[in-house]
Amino acid sequence: MKITDAKVIVCSPGRNFVTLKIVTDEGIHGLGDATLNGRELAVASYLTDHLIPLLIGRDADRIEDTWQYLYKGAYWRRGPVTMSAISAVDTALWDIKAKSLGVPLYQLLGGASRDSVLVYGHASGATIEDTVAAVADYLKLGYKAIRAQSGIPGLASTYGVGRGKMYYEPAEEGGAPVENLWSTEKYLNFAPQLFARLRKEFGEDIHLLHDAHHRLTPIEAARLGKNLEPFHLFWLEDPVAGELQEGFHLIRQHTTTPLAVGEVFDTIYDCQQLIQNQWIDYIRTTVVHAGGITHLRKIANLAEIYHVRTGCHGATDLSPVCMAAALHFDLSVHNFGIQEYMRHSDQTDQVFPHSYTFAEGFMHPGDAPGLGVDINEALAAKYPYRRAYLPINRKLDGTMHSW
Ligand code: KDG
Ligand code: MG
């Protein structure tokens, strides 16, 4: 089966998405998500100007070989732009192969290891009581696992606090990134109060998660992990920036709070030390940013040996194409832990009709052949790209800090 055509579709149904569509001589098409939040057009150009010319005429069935051809063939390895582009090609080729065999993708990945996939939603509020109300709303929807974030007294804005209750969308349209202000001291004093209140209200059984969004030093993260131990979080996410993998060693020596990281990682090399030293409990790399299904399986296989489980990133900037791919991966991989699920807007869901479903806190990718997701190109064309940036973050004295 030969690739005869490929194109990049950039659209903005509520937010920006970059989608690769590959077509074969058998009339089968496959989709891959290539969205890199705030840097979308760089990946679109990488695909259109550099990869698509190499894809035309290639054998669509040679997925591993195509991955290696694009990765090794670039000479310039790794990096989010390159890896998001390779991910999109890889995902589209898995979609095509599964469609050509008439099976849902998870059947090609070893079949289902579980009946359905545990997901977590995002509850947030400007105050602790608002967050309590948001968690209650998620429980009513059937969620068994909920990430909780709250505004911090004395800070005008905080990571993870949404404008609406169901949709948290940090990217803002405009000429420059929005600027947030940050105080580690205020945050460290406040965060345990939030979880004490949530446990008091909702008891011990629900899974609670929290994202520190790369803002702490290792010793600060160790203090937070220790102070959160009585509230037994499912995980503390991104306690420190992930570039320095051994930073996690110090945190690990001080706390039994489980640790998760990986949403900004793009290859197995970003995770290698973390996994092999068992400094983390969950690896959060995603299909769209970490090399597609092909590479994500290698990361999961390495993690399995070291008792590390998966917890794929699944924010709204990962399109329904990525969400579908993630669910096939989650259903099949043995050492699955949890999947993040931020609901997309109705506009997004209309542009990307899909077969995956949510019920009682669990999801299933559906049994349509391939990924089970498509793109309505005519509708997508009605939502042109709109430049948007993720915020930046400064300390109270004006110093740039991690967002
Ligand atoms: O594009 C960045 C967002 O996806 C990220 O900030 C969301 O941290 C996030 C999460 O855990 O969903
Ligand atoms: Mg995160």
Side-chain angles (χ1 to χ4, degrees), residues 71-400:
Y71 182 80
K72 295 193 164 72
Y75 183 66
W76 311 107
R77 295 186 183 194
R78 306 167 61 182
V81 175
T82 298
M83 296 310 294
S84 299
I86 293 176
S87 302
V89 175
D90 185 79
T91 309
L93 293 183
W94 278 105
D95 190 19
I96 288 169
K97 191 184 278 290
K99 279 181 179 166
S100 75
L101 296 171
V103 294
L105 174 60
Y106 71 84
Q107 294 293 9
L108 297 188
L109 307 178
S113 285
R114 54 198 51 80
D115 300 333
S116 54
V117 168
L118 176 69
V119 299
Y120 70 91
H122 283 205
S124 68
T127 64
I128 288 185
E129 291 314 311
D130 289 350
T131 305
V132 168
V135 169
D137 288 346
Y138 273 87
L139 288 173
K140 272 186 224 139
L141 290 170
Y143 282 84
K144 308 286 181 277
I146 300 166
R147 185 187 98 157
Q149 310 286 142
S150 167
I152 300 169
L155 292 181
S157 59
T158 308
Y159 166 76
V161 179
R163 279 160 280 177
K165 279 190 181 161
M166 301 304 294
Y167 307 105
Y168 169 59
E169 182 50 75
E172 293 269 6
E173 287 173 25
V178 167
E179 304 218 353
N180 292 169
L181 280 181
W182 176 249
S183 159
T184 298
E185 295 71 25
K186 288 187 197 302
Y187 169 69
L188 288 178
N189 290 332
F190 172 78
Q193 297 172 37
L194 169 65
F195 287 92
R197 176 75 183 89
L198 291 173
R199 281 291 174 221
K200 187 162 172 250
E201 184 74 23
F202 299 108
E204 305 296 324
D205 287 345
I206 64 165
H207 293 308
L208 293 174
L209 300 83
H210 184 65
D211 190 348
H213 222 247
H214 330 270
R215 293 175 175 202
L216 306 176
T217 64
I219 199 68
E220 290 164 352
R223 171 180 151 196
L224 179 62
K226 228 173 176 171
N227 289 340
L228 292 175
E229 278 173 21
F231 316 116
H232 54 91
L233 265 54
F234 187 97
W235 76 35
L236 172 61
E237 177 180 332
D238 291 343
V240 293
E243 290 99 320
L244 182 67
Q245 296 188 28
E246 65 211 53
F248 282 78
H249 185 202
L250 190 143
I251 309 173
R252 206 55 160 172
Q253 287 173 317
H254 290 282
T255 180
T256 57
T257 293
L259 303 175
V261 70
E263 67 182 44
V264 302
F265 292 176
D266 50 58
T267 66
I268 198 165
Y269 304 105
D270 297 322
C271 332
Q272 188 179 2
Q273 274 179 281
L274 289 167
I275 291 173
Q276 289 183 330
N277 290 304
Q278 301 177 44
W279 288 335
I280 56 169
D281 301 278
Y282 295 92
I283 183 68
R284 300 191 63 255
T285 43
T286 60
V287 173
V288 54
H289 299 134
I293 294 283
T294 296
H295 198 65
L296 215 60
R297 289 176 84 203
K298 294 180 187 183
I299 295 173
N301 291 163
L302 175 69
E304 184 182 348
I305 302 173
Y306 295 96
H307 302 270
V308 173
R309 286 180 281 170
T310 65
C312 293
H313 186 205
T316 43
D317 48 299
L318 289 77
S319 88
V321 177
C322 178
M323 192 65 206
L327 290 170
H328 287 278
F329 170 82
D330 298 336
L331 196 69
S332 62
V333 74
H334 172 68
N335 53 324
F336 165 76
I338 200 167
Q339 168 70 50
E340 181 180 16
Y341 174 48
M342 272 175 83
R343 287 155 185 269
H344 286 109
S345 67
D346 290 344
Q347 288 163 306
T348 299
D349 283 339
Q350 283 154 13
V351 167
F352 296 96
H354 50 259
S355 65
Y356 59 75
T357 49
F358 170 91
E360 295 303 318
F362 291 83
M363 292 182 77
H364 193 280
D367 282 306
L371 290 172
V373 60
D374 214 337
I375 183 164
N376 179 335
E377 289 185 58
L379 192 56
K382 295 192 175 150
Y383 300 105
Y385 170 77
R386 300 153 82 101
R387 178 169 292 106
Y389 291 99
L390 287 169
I392 60 124
N393 201 25
R394 290 187 190 277
K395 293 187 195 177
L396 297 181
D397 70 357
T399 310
M400 273 291 290

